[in-house]
Amino acid sequence: MKALLLLLLFAQLCSASLVPEREKDPEYWRRQAQETLRNALRLQRLNQNVAKNLILFLGDGMGVSTVTAARILKGQLQHGQGEESLLEMEKFPYVALAKTYNTNAQVPDSAGTATAYLCGVKANEGTLGVSAGVTRDRCNTTKGQEVTSILRWAKDAGKAVGIVTTTRVTHATPSAAYAHSANRDWYSDGEMPPDALEGGCKDIARQLVENIPDIEVILGGGRKYMFPKNASDVEYPHEEKHRGTRLDRRDLVQAWHNAKPPGKVAKYVWHRRELLALNLSRVDFLLGLFEPGDMVYELERNNETDPSLSEMVAVAIRMLQKNPRGFFLLVEGGRIDHGHHEGKAKQALHEAVELDRAIGLATRLTSAQDTLSVVTADHSHVFTFGGYTPRGNPIFGLAPMQSDVDRKPFTSILYGNGPGYKIVAGERENVSAVDFAHADYQAQSAVPLRQETHGGEDVAVFARGPMAHLLHGVHEQNYIPHAMAYAACIGSNRGHCSAGARPAAPLLLPFLALLVLLC
């Protein structure tokens, strides 16, 4: 056991030593992003309005192969062949690629990548809202290394801000918007080691309530991290695994209420019916936690108790639109990633289709004249589909051929590694003997692993609205929030805002003046 611990410590130290010294400095990434920005500005510009609103849609694990397969699934759900279908995100006029590596990892994790596309600074795997000077699990390396997110920049500019996710609200993607942590898994103090607690590091749920207490909308899962250890869950009172986890015995939902200014109305809901019944004109702050942990897969969602991602997005946009200065909204389809990790492609792809449905809804509720919408992923997966399938082949179906080695059929969808590796009587499992169209079917993989892994290839970035053309070509992932902030005149780079880009409404003023003169 001691040898194993020493080996892990040595690996951790080696991992930290892989980071070039200059990449530990946030300014390195900021300068790099600003240089990329200057190059982008030399391109022909079209919609140069100031973005009043910003929406960042994040498909966790939604690599290009997932996007393509989701497109086919969407078309087939609409009774088409599938290949000719278009996802809502694919209707966006600008497309780029983002390089996803973490500062210490060729194939990244969701925490280091979230720090890149939300905070504009690349970081080490497993760390949130901090620079690459922080080593995972080392609480004492955090102080002074905190980096802020585009959600904070928007809030500082007077905009309303919101977070919507299908995971727990303390998961890697949403937490990088508000937290600073040496470990993405420190959801509550119940998941933190003694040395981190003694070192003064805060758990992520506490940071959600304390760091930016005036986030207007927070919707997702993760109830149990907000309540005292062993407190019964309101929805599953008899299930031990859903009980509260907090060692400090605090009720963070009550703390969230208490942090709101006098006279402001703050509503906490845990049921779909409560959410959809709200009179949003009379609500200033909204916290919705619909499951103890992550929300349920869309294919298995209880339509009575749990809202869909689309429903949560509709509520969030209507809440945030009340602010005349505009808003920033982070929307995560987080369980695409979980489906892939479990080797359950059907779950993953239906999650991707639901995210795309939410994108279409948001597009209809906003205008490209004043709203910059960006869709991307944090990383890919070792998910693929092939086998010379004919046009219109069911996306979860068999390839039209057998292996010329073991003479057995195979599904079009396969994984490079994962839990779908099965040997039956010394040979690869014959998939014709199983229900490969079932939602929980685990597609075959080349290498046996309990959990399938991320992929290391670039991910797509789709953009629509003011300054969307700044997302072009191949970028470092940390460039994304810099470009979005530039479009909205928030953050540190605002020198162009007074004389350059202008809000959509003032563009009409010269024409109105001419009309007055003619009259």
Side-chain angles (χ1 to χ4, degrees):
M1 185 64 182
K2 287 183 179 179
L4 178 60
L5 289 173
L6 286 172
L7 185 61
L8 289 171
L9 178 62
F10 179 74
Q12 193 175 70
L13 291 172
C14 288
S15 176
S17 69
L18 291 174
V19 182
E21 283 303 311
R22 65 179 186 177
E23 294 190 9
K24 296 179 180 179
D25 180 5
E27 284 304 314
Y28 166 80
W29 296 107
R30 293 176 182 132
R31 287 193 299 269
Q32 175 254 51
Q34 293 299 324
E35 178 59 30
T36 306
L37 181 58
R38 285 190 287 273
N39 292 335
L41 290 169
R42 298 190 184 103
L43 302 176
Q44 182 181 5
R45 287 174 282 175
L46 299 174
N47 183 344
Q48 298 181 70
N49 299 338
V50 170
K52 176 183 176 183
N53 310 312
L54 298 170
I55 307 178
L56 177 57
F57 296 94
L58 193 286
D60 197 315
M62 190 177 69
V64 172
S65 58
T66 297
V67 171
T68 307
R71 176 202 308 149
I72 294 172
L73 173 59
K74 176 183 177 180
Q76 292 181 351
L77 289 172
Q78 295 172 342
H79 309 293
Q81 291 179 305
E83 298 85 359
E84 72 290 343
S85 180
L86 264 184
L87 294 170
E88 296 296 329
M89 68 186 84
E90 293 174 323
K91 298 174 185 177
F92 287 18
Y94 296 96
V95 182
L97 291 174
K99 298 160 67 176
T100 64
Y101 67 92
N102 296 149
T103 45
N104 66 339
Q106 186 178 76
V107 177
D109 92 310
S110 295
T113 52
T115 303
Y117 62 74
L118 286 171
C119 303
V121 173
K122 286 220 174 192
N124 291 329
E125 62 88 25
T127 65
L128 288 164
V130 291
S131 76
V134 174
T135 303
R136 185 170 186 170
D137 294 326
R138 302 287 187 82
C139 170
N140 61 3
T141 64
T142 306
K143 190 173 182 180
Q145 300 298 321
E146 299 90 348
V147 293
T148 56
S149 76
I150 189 171
L151 182 143
R152 166 74 79 171
W153 309 340
K155 175 53 70 176
D156 289 347
K159 296 183 183 295
V161 296
I163 294 169
V164 175
T165 180
T166 53
T167 66
R168 63 205 83 176
V169 295
T170 50
H171 210 251
T173 295
S175 59
Y178 59 81
H180 314 285
S181 181
N183 191 317
R184 58 175 287 179
D185 297 327
W186 292 349
Y187 303 123
S188 76
D189 58 351
E191 287 77 42
M192 295 177 69
D195 66 298
L197 292 171
E198 292 164 6
C201 284
K202 295 181 182 180
D203 64 87
I204 295 168
R206 182 180 168 190
Q207 292 189 60
L208 173 62
V209 173
E210 296 180 356
N211 285 6
I212 310 177
D214 51 352
I215 297 175
E216 280 83 357
V217 179
I218 304 167
L219 300 175
R223 276 196 303 263
K224 66 181 180 180
Y225 306 109
M226 310 293 281
F227 293 103
K229 188 171 178 63
N230 292 325
S232 295
D233 183 72
V234 63
E235 188 176 3
Y236 309 101
H238 304 299
E239 295 192 36
E240 187 174 345
K241 67 180 180 180
H242 294 321
R243 291 178 181 173
T245 64
R246 301 202 62 78
L247 299 178
D248 60 11
R249 310 300 299 169
R250 292 183 68 190
D251 178 340
L252 289 187
V253 171
Q254 188 59 51
W256 173 83
H257 270 289
N258 295 343
K260 301 301 173 283
K264 296 294 185 181
V265 177
K267 291 286 187 181
Y268 166 66
V269 297
W270 63 269
H271 196 287
R272 176 179 181 265
R273 187 168 55 247
E274 292 178 304
L275 177 72
L276 300 184
L278 288 171
N279 182 344
L280 299 179
S281 66
R282 297 181 181 178
V283 179
D284 299 300
F285 299 95
L286 175 60
L287 172 62
L289 301 175
F290 303 100
E291 286 291 331
D294 300 318
M295 294 188 70
V296 178
Y297 283 125
E298 178 63 20
L299 282 177
E300 299 168 358
R301 180 173 60 86
N302 184 328
N303 200 41
E304 292 293 317
T305 58
D306 290 351
S308 67
L309 181 60
S310 298
E311 289 171 333
M312 292 192 292
V313 167
V315 170
I317 289 177
R318 291 184 177 115
M319 269 281 292
L320 300 175
Q321 282 177 329
K322 295 188 296 181
N323 188 322
R325 295 187 179 181
F327 64 83
F328 169 81
L329 175 61
L330 171 65
V331 178
E332 183 197 20
R335 303 218 64 196
I336 301 168
D337 177 71
H338 296 173
H340 281 321
H341 278 309
E342 294 174 4
K344 298 175 181 178
K346 191 165 189 175
Q347 298 283 16
L349 295 185
H350 276 272
E351 292 294 308
V353 169
E354 174 58 21
L355 172 62
D356 196 64
R357 190 176 294 119
I359 293 167
L361 177 63
T363 299
R364 293 189 293 276
L365 291 175
T366 58
S367 167
Q369 290 304 302
D370 67 0
T371 303
L372 173 60
S373 299
V374 176
V375 183
T376 190
D378 46 358
H379 54 74
S380 185
H381 275 267
V382 292
F383 161 85
T384 187
F385 68 100
Y388 301 113
T389 48
R391 181 73 185 270
N393 198 71
I395 190 62
F396 303 115
L398 295 173
M401 55 194 291
Q402 292 186 342
S403 165
D404 57 5
V405 176
D406 65 12
R407 305 299 175 187
K408 289 185 174 66
F410 59 96
T411 55
S412 172
I413 286 176
L414 298 167
Y415 286 95
N417 57 50
Y421 179 95
K422 290 183 177 65
I423 299 297
V424 178
E427 297 182 341
R428 181 172 67 90
E429 182 180 48
N430 189 331
V431 294
S432 62
V434 299
D435 183 5
F436 51 79
H438 192 276
D440 288 331
Y441 171 70
Q442 293 175 309
Q444 291 185 338
S445 65
V447 175
L449 288 176
R450 289 185 176 88
Q451 289 270 303
E452 176 264 6
T453 72
H454 296 168
E457 70 270 23
D458 298 349
V459 295
V461 184
F462 304 90
R464 167 187 181 267
M467 295 291 181
H469 52 276
L470 297 183
L471 291 159
H472 67 99
V474 181
H475 301 299
E476 293 284 4
Q477 194 170 43
N478 68 292
Y479 169 68
I480 293 171
H482 288 270
M484 295 183 73
Y486 181 94
C489 285
I490 62 175
S492 60
N493 182 4
R494 298 193 300 272
H496 61 290
C497 298
S498 57
R502 297 175 295 178
L507 290 175
L508 299 175
L509 293 179
F511 300 100
L512 292 175
L514 179 60
L515 183 61
V516 169
L517 288 172
L518 290 173
C519 291

